[in-house]
Amino acid sequence: MELLPRILRAAQARISWQLFLTYLGLLLAVASSALLLVGILQFLADAPPFRTDFLLGALAAAFTGALYLLWRGHPTLSQTAHILDGAGKTKDRYYTAYLFGQSPAPERMEEAAIAECQQFIQRTEWRPLTPIRFPRTLIVALAPLAALAFLQLQYTLNNKAAESDVSLQKVVDQHSKKLSDLAAKIDEARREHQSAELELLVKELRNTSKRISEQRPNNEEIRKAAMREFSSLEAMLQEMMRSAQLDASPEELKSLAEALKQNDQEEAAKLVEEGKFEEAAKKLEELAKKLKEASNPEQIRQQLAESMREGVDRLSEDQKKQVAEQMKQLAQAAASMQDPEVQEALKKLQQLMKDLAKMQQNRQAQKKGQEKQQQQQQQAGSQQREVPMTAESLKQLIEALEQMKRQLQEGGDPQPGEGDQMLTLQMPGQQGEPGNMPGSMDASGDPSGNPGSELDFGTTDTPFGAEQPEKPKAEGPAKRITGSLGEGETLREFIGAAGDDSKAKQRYKEIYQATQAEAQDAVTQETIPLGSRLLIRRYFESIRPKE
Amino acid sequence: MSKETEQVEEQATEFRTKFDQIRSELGKMMVGQEEIIQGVLVAFFAAGHVLLEGVPGLGKTMLVRTLAEAVDLNFSRVQFTPDLMPADIIGTNIIIEDEKGQKRFQFQRGPVFAHVLLADEINRATPKTQSALLEAMQEKQVTVGGTHHKVEEPFLVLATQNPLEMEGTYPLPEAQLDRFFFKLKVNYPTEDDLHTILDRTTKKEAPDVRKVINREEILKLRELVREVPMARDIQAHAIQILMSTHPENKEASPLAKKYARYGASPRGLQAMILAANIYALLDGRFHAARADIERAALPALRHRVLLNFEGEAEGKSTDEVIREAVERTATTA
């Protein structure tokens, strides 16, 4: 009899283990779901979804909960015996032997029962009746954890992107500061030379600096905005460079005029000041003649010749300031030119002036076209600015912009012209082509013809045609179809009815169900002969509605 | 092992032996129908009565007659007819003249005083006649002219009901049905069984039934059946099955709630317990188990659960209700 209690205690331990694992699996599934929910909330609040302290807390809570549930619901020995009997189909031998064994004085039949049960228990292996299995709920618990891991990965990736956003923003802020510094330098030059164009350039630089330093939602937006601004600024500066090649800035013209004045060429100086290069060229031609006839110091002549040559050679490459300085030196040394060199230099200077005049004419023609387009764009509400060229600052600006663009180009390929507050420029060759500018519209307000752009309003207000389609008529009078009988057989059947409009108020099934209880009471309460009750039941069965 | 335990084991072995012997003798005369034979024997050793339901010609009368021969007990058969009177069953007082020439009443015993009584087509008799028999079944005595006459033990009534020709019959009232220990449904024999029946009954030689047990042994074995212990939880299991057949009970099975008018009575519980004890002894055990209870549930309860009108109209049977009750209880145990 000692065997049974030992077996029951061992089985109780195994069952308790299995229960603990089952509870643990269940609670872990609940805890992991809770962790996932918290992780989602954390993720939405832009905080790390996975936290070690949360996980440890959930594990501890699940473990403690499982222990508590086991403590509350652990099986007693009699319950263990029931479990063994139920699992092993032992005909309740474990429980019977345990229960009868508790009796201090079992009856003879009980003793026999105990003996028989013990024999059975001795020859039966009980361990397979209490297997310890891996709870399936633990697998269920893995799904939320996997989702949580994914959330954490996503958060980490977003964090890295945010960090790169921050670093990129720093880079852009640095460039913005550079632009601001450049603007400050140019502002100093503007104050010095009182130039309206420089003032516009300074303003534009500052605006650009401000725009690119604005906070963007993500890395891509930062990059796009900066590339957009730099591209537009670069294009503007390129245009200014070209204009600088065509137009003489007031400063250089002034210096040239000063130089000419110093060499008693006031008229030429005046013409250069006024930008009348053709006439200035004529004057310089006259100067050349005079120089040919006049006797000047040789040194001055050499300097002038050299200066003129170098100036002309570098005309296509240099900035406006160097050309102007060359011309200034040229003018200063005009009196010291030797005859052949002077003639040659003067010729080149003439040619320079003529070229300048020709290019000026072209430039003026372009200006007219640009002005016209500018008017058109102004009517459409876009902003176009033409900023005249400056000098070295333009070169520095362009170099700086190129450097900025190189830095930004690592992360993507932004589309120039996208985004808000875009600077649009009238590029050469784009006169009278309003359709090429994204988002632009002509004066008539017709669509741009670029579907998908922000300002594209489609091609028509009635895509399905000007006239609305008629709705089909759903109701109408019944039509009688007439015809004639053929040669085939016809079958006619006339069904007499009580009336066309007679309809039952209630379904038969409802009536049957409503009266069923009363019929049953009538059958049981009425004094019906026993032999007739069956007939009555059969009748009611026959009238029962078919399902 | 103690002496008493050995004694019990011997008695249990003897019980199994006798049971098997009687079963085998019955099997000589009744082909197939193993469940019916076992059910009749279980009811016999549990001191209960059996209601057999089956179409004519399935060997019900043969079964009872053979049983009476095998257990060496008196046998009588009553064919119930609508004009059968109670006195035809229980007996009556008749006037006799003694040696001195004086007339007096003498009680003439009816067929109910046999040990084994076959009440054929009990549903054909009037309720009054039925009640006379049922009183004897329950009280183990009859009252005639104010005098009680005991019926000698063992007393087994096997009543039959013909499920056909129910017109003009008087089905047993529910209260009377409750007095039967088991209700067994005799099914039609299989093709192989029919071959065997023909071989046995249409040949020249008929099988011989020998007596294998006497009255004293029967009474002793009946006492042994009542000694079989049952654990409390097993009893609770039987009670739970019974309560599941009551529609007003919150633990009732869905079918019982929908189709049952009345659930089984406590007599059904007693029948389940006693039958479970016998099944345990036959299985070589000395204790009744839940499996024994579940095995006895159907024949013990099927005639004690009453269907309502809806259940009868939808053709439900009490067997379905009881099977569901057993399954639900086994699941929740």
Side-chain angles (χ1 to χ4, degrees):
Chain A
M1 196 50 202
E2 293 176 356
L3 175 64
L4 180 62
R6 198 168 64 240
I7 290 174
L8 288 180
R9 278 193 288 271
Q12 186 184 36
R14 287 173 68 91
I15 293 168
S16 297
W17 259 116
Q18 181 64 52
L19 270 178
F20 174 74
L21 287 176
T22 305
Y23 290 142
L24 186 64
L26 191 65
L27 289 174
L28 280 176
V30 171
S32 61
S33 302
L35 275 177
L36 177 63
L37 184 64
V38 170
I40 291 171
L41 293 174
Q42 292 272 92
F43 184 81
L44 293 174
D46 205 20
F50 177 79
R51 286 175 56 174
T52 310
D53 54 350
F54 283 179
L55 179 66
L56 291 176
L59 284 174
F63 195 81
T64 308
L67 280 176
Y68 172 74
L69 288 174
L70 180 64
W71 175 69
R72 287 290 301 269
H74 77 279
T76 60
L77 287 181
S78 64
Q79 289 172 337
T80 304
H82 274 305
I83 293 170
L84 289 173
D85 287 329
K89 296 181 183 178
T90 59
K91 298 287 176 73
D92 298 314
R93 283 185 170 94
Y94 283 93
Y95 176 71
T96 302
Y98 171 75
L99 186 69
F100 290 168
Q102 302 292 312
S103 174
E107 296 178 4
R108 65 181 198 133
M109 208 63 159
E110 288 176 352
E111 280 188 7
I114 292 169
E116 190 273 332
C117 292
Q118 239 177 337
Q119 287 175 6
F120 177 87
I121 291 166
Q122 279 175 349
R123 62 175 184 265
T124 305
E125 181 56 43
W126 62 270
R127 284 185 181 78
L129 304 178
T130 56
I132 298 180
R133 290 195 185 97
F134 186 77
R136 291 180 189 177
T137 48
L138 275 178
I139 300 173
V140 174
L142 292 176
L145 290 176
L148 188 63
F150 175 76
L151 269 180
Q152 180 64 28
L153 177 66
Q154 188 65 31
Y155 174 79
T156 307
L157 291 174
N158 290 351
N159 216 14
K160 280 186 183 172
E163 286 173 358
S164 67
D165 288 348
V166 171
S167 63
L168 183 64
Q169 186 65 45
K170 282 183 184 172
V171 169
V172 169
D173 288 342
Q174 286 172 3
H175 293 325
S176 169
K177 191 171 179 309
K178 280 185 190 174
L179 285 177
S180 298
D181 294 340
L182 281 171
K185 285 182 187 175
I186 294 171
D187 198 26
E188 287 176 7
R190 176 198 62 84
R191 277 194 227 105
E192 185 182 338
H193 298 285
Q194 297 296 320
S195 167
E197 289 81 7
L198 283 179
E199 184 179 355
L200 286 173
L201 179 63
V202 166
K203 190 178 174 184
E204 191 56 39
L205 283 172
R206 285 184 176 151
N207 288 340
T208 301
S209 167
K210 187 181 173 185
R211 281 196 292 271
I212 64 171
S213 63
E214 283 176 2
Q215 290 295 327
R216 304 286 178 190
N218 56 41
N219 192 11
E220 194 60 29
E221 285 297 320
I222 293 172
R223 190 175 289 111
K224 281 184 183 177
M227 290 296 288
R228 193 166 54 238
E229 296 296 336
F230 292 154
S231 296
S232 62
L233 192 59
E234 185 181 2
M236 180 191 72
L237 293 173
Q238 294 284 357
E239 182 59 26
M240 288 172 66
M241 284 281 291
R242 280 192 285 275
S243 300
Q245 294 174 2
L246 304 177
D247 295 333
S249 70
E251 290 77 12
E252 281 69 30
L253 285 175
K254 211 172 179 180
S255 337
L256 179 60
E258 284 294 326
L260 287 171
K261 274 181 186 174
Q262 288 173 7
N263 291 278
D264 299 328
Q265 294 298 322
E266 288 187 5
E267 291 182 14
K270 191 179 177 184
L271 289 170
V272 170
E273 269 184 347
E274 292 172 359
K276 297 176 182 175
F277 293 108
E278 195 169 355
E279 294 174 16
K282 287 179 183 173
K283 285 293 175 184
L284 287 173
E285 192 178 351
E286 291 172 7
L287 172 64
K289 284 181 184 174
K290 285 181 184 177
L291 288 173
K292 187 178 178 182
E293 295 167 0
S295 58
N296 293 318
E298 192 171 284
Q299 185 181 3
I300 296 173
R301 286 171 187 263
Q302 284 176 355
Q303 284 177 357
L304 181 61
E306 191 177 346
S307 298
M308 286 173 69
R309 224 182 351 264
E310 286 177 3
V312 169
D313 289 339
R314 279 193 243 163
L315 182 62
S316 61
E317 303 170 17
D318 264 0
Q319 298 293 327
K320 173 74 172 56
K321 190 176 179 180
Q322 291 178 354
V323 172
E325 285 183 1
Q326 293 296 326
M327 292 182 69
K328 184 179 172 181
Q329 292 171 5
L330 184 68
Q332 285 176 350
S336 62
M337 277 189 275
Q338 289 181 356
D339 287 348
E341 292 173 346
V342 168
Q343 293 301 322
E344 188 183 347
L346 282 175
K347 278 183 188 173
K348 288 186 179 174
L349 186 61
Q350 266 184 308
Q351 188 60 41
L352 171 66
M353 290 298 155
K354 286 180 184 173
D355 291 341
L356 283 175
K358 195 175 179 182
M359 292 168 79
Q360 186 187 29
Q361 287 171 3
N362 291 337
R363 177 66 182 157
Q364 283 173 355
Q366 285 181 2
K367 271 188 184 176
K368 285 181 186 172
Q370 288 173 7
E371 283 171 3
K372 186 182 175 185
Q373 188 172 5
Q374 187 178 3
Q375 284 176 0
Q376 292 171 355
Q377 288 181 355
Q378 280 177 354
Q379 284 177 3
S382 63
Q383 293 178 355
Q384 293 183 355
R385 300 187 193 90
E386 292 180 13
V387 182
M389 291 177 56
T390 55
E392 182 64 25
S393 60
L394 291 178
K395 184 180 177 182
Q396 292 176 0
L397 278 173
I398 291 172
E399 285 175 0
L401 283 174
E402 285 175 358
Q403 187 183 0
M404 292 176 194
K405 281 173 71 175
R406 272 197 299 276
Q407 287 181 357
L408 291 172
Q409 270 173 2
E410 295 174 2
D413 186 15
Q415 300 297 322
E418 294 179 355
D420 46 359
Q421 294 190 24
M422 183 189 70
L423 249 189
T424 58
L425 294 179
Q426 184 66 33
M427 303 301 290
Q430 290 182 347
Q431 295 179 22
E433 296 177 359
N436 289 342
M437 298 301 293
S440 64
M441 296 179 70
D442 60 13
S444 65
D446 289 338
S448 63
N450 289 328
S453 67
E454 291 178 343
L455 299 179
D456 189 279
F457 296 111
T459 57
T460 177
D461 290 332
T462 56
F464 297 107
E467 297 179 357
Q468 291 294 329
E470 290 183 1
K471 291 182 181 177
K473 293 178 183 177
E475 298 177 355
K479 292 185 180 178
R480 179 172 297 212
I481 301 173
T482 58
S484 59
L485 289 176
E487 296 179 354
E489 294 181 357
T490 58
L491 177 65
R492 300 179 191 183
E493 183 177 353
F494 292 94
I495 301 171
D500 292 336
D501 295 331
S502 60
K503 290 182 181 178
K505 297 293 181 183
Q506 210 172 2
R507 289 177 60 200
Y508 175 68
K509 186 178 179 182
E510 293 170 358
I511 296 173
Y512 184 90
Q513 286 175 350
T515 55
Q516 178 187 355
E518 292 176 2
Q520 185 170 352
D521 289 341
V523 169
T524 55
Q525 293 172 12
E526 291 292 331
T527 53
I528 300 172
L530 293 175
S532 302
R533 286 190 185 184
L534 186 64
L535 289 173
I536 294 170
R537 288 200 177 117
R538 280 184 181 175
Y539 165 73
F540 279 104
E541 184 181 348
S542 66
I543 66 170
R544 187 163 62 95
K546 302 292 185 289
E547 294 293 337
Chain B
M1 192 177 292
S2 66
K3 261 190 178 178
E4 287 189 350
T5 306
E6 288 178 2
Q7 191 180 8
V8 167
E9 285 189 5
E10 286 172 6
Q11 288 177 341
T13 306
E14 186 185 352
F15 178 89
R16 283 194 295 275
T17 307
K18 292 295 180 186
F19 194 99
D20 290 337
Q21 286 176 351
I22 298 172
R23 182 160 50 189
S24 115
E25 292 302 317
L26 292 178
K28 289 180 185 176
M29 299 306 292
M30 194 160 184
V31 181
Q33 309 294 354
E34 295 293 334
E35 288 291 323
I36 304 299
I37 292 171
Q38 179 151 25
V40 168
L41 289 177
V42 166
F44 179 68
F45 281 105
H49 309 288
V50 180
L51 180 61
L52 294 173
E53 188 174 275
V55 296
L58 295 183
K60 297 185 291 295
T61 308
M62 177 67 69
L63 170 65
V64 180
R65 192 191 297 278
T66 308
L67 174 64
E69 288 181 18
V71 299
D72 193 21
L73 295 173
N74 296 330
F75 168 74
S76 64
R77 176 177 179 272
V78 177
Q79 179 65 48
F80 279 63
T81 56
D83 58 347
L84 194 70
M85 302 301 290
D88 298 331
I89 297 174
I90 60 175
T92 186
N93 285 327
I94 58 172
I95 299 173
I96 61 165
E97 190 173 339
D98 60 7
E99 301 85 20
K100 297 177 182 178
Q102 288 182 350
K103 293 182 183 174
R104 56 183 175 84
F105 281 109
Q106 185 180 16
F107 177 66
Q108 186 73 35
R109 289 186 168 193
V112 76
F113 287 94
H115 292 117
V116 180
L117 172 64
L118 174 62
D120 237 341
E121 294 183 307
I122 191 172
N123 53 328
R124 289 186 68 194
T126 59
K128 188 175 180 181
T129 307
Q130 292 171 356
S131 297
L133 173 63
L134 292 166
E135 182 193 354
M137 287 164 57
Q138 183 64 29
E139 307 296 332
K140 299 290 193 307
Q141 68 177 18
V142 298
T143 304
V144 178
T147 307
H148 301 293
H149 302 275
K150 280 197 173 300
V151 176
E152 193 180 47
E153 289 283 0
F155 177 53
L156 171 67
V157 173
L158 283 97
T160 65
Q161 276 193 152
N162 188 351
L164 306 176
E165 296 178 356
M166 296 298 278
E167 293 184 18
T169 62
Y170 301 90
L172 284 174
E174 294 78 15
Q176 307 301 336
L177 281 172
D178 196 34
R179 299 181 195 279
F180 288 93
F181 186 85
F182 269 0
K183 179 180 176 182
L184 303 173
K185 290 187 177 179
V186 186
N187 297 320
Y188 208 81
T190 62
E191 189 176 336
D192 292 336
D193 292 338
L194 287 171
H195 280 292
T196 310
I197 289 170
L198 290 175
D199 290 340
R200 290 185 189 176
T201 59
T202 58
K203 296 291 187 282
K204 200 173 176 181
E205 293 176 358
D208 186 29
V209 178
R210 60 188 180 90
K211 298 177 185 5
V212 296
I213 194 171
N214 56 33
R215 179 175 169 271
E216 287 72 27
E217 287 173 334
I218 292 169
L219 294 174
K220 201 166 62 171
L221 292 178
R222 280 186 174 185
E223 286 177 8
L224 181 67
V225 167
R226 291 180 180 265
E227 278 188 46
V228 176
M230 182 179 285
R232 192 133 185 105
D233 281 7
I234 312 301
Q235 276 187 9
H237 186 73
I239 292 169
Q240 204 169 353
I241 291 175
L242 188 85
M243 298 308 292
S244 296
T245 63
H246 287 254
E248 68 277 6
N249 189 2
K250 60 180 179 179
E251 300 294 331
S253 62
L255 282 180
K257 282 182 181 174
K258 191 175 179 185
Y259 298 120
R261 185 145 58 97
Y262 296 114
S265 68
R267 284 203 190 102
L269 186 61
Q270 293 168 347
M272 275 199 295
I273 300 297
L274 288 172
N277 290 350
I278 294 173
Y279 290 135
L281 285 173
L282 291 174
D283 198 29
R285 288 179 278 114
F286 300 98
H287 67 280
R290 276 175 290 194
D292 303 323
I293 298 284
E294 291 165 6
R295 188 179 171 187
L298 198 57
L301 301 180
R302 61 159 54 107
H303 55 293
R304 302 177 205 270
V305 175
L306 300 177
L307 295 180
N308 57 17
F309 185 70
E310 187 177 356
E312 291 189 10
E314 294 203 14
K316 296 293 178 186
S317 67
T318 54
D319 285 8
E320 295 177 45
V321 177
I322 294 163
R323 280 197 201 98
E324 190 189 49
V326 170
E327 286 170 7
R328 272 176 59 96
T329 310
T331 307
T332 56

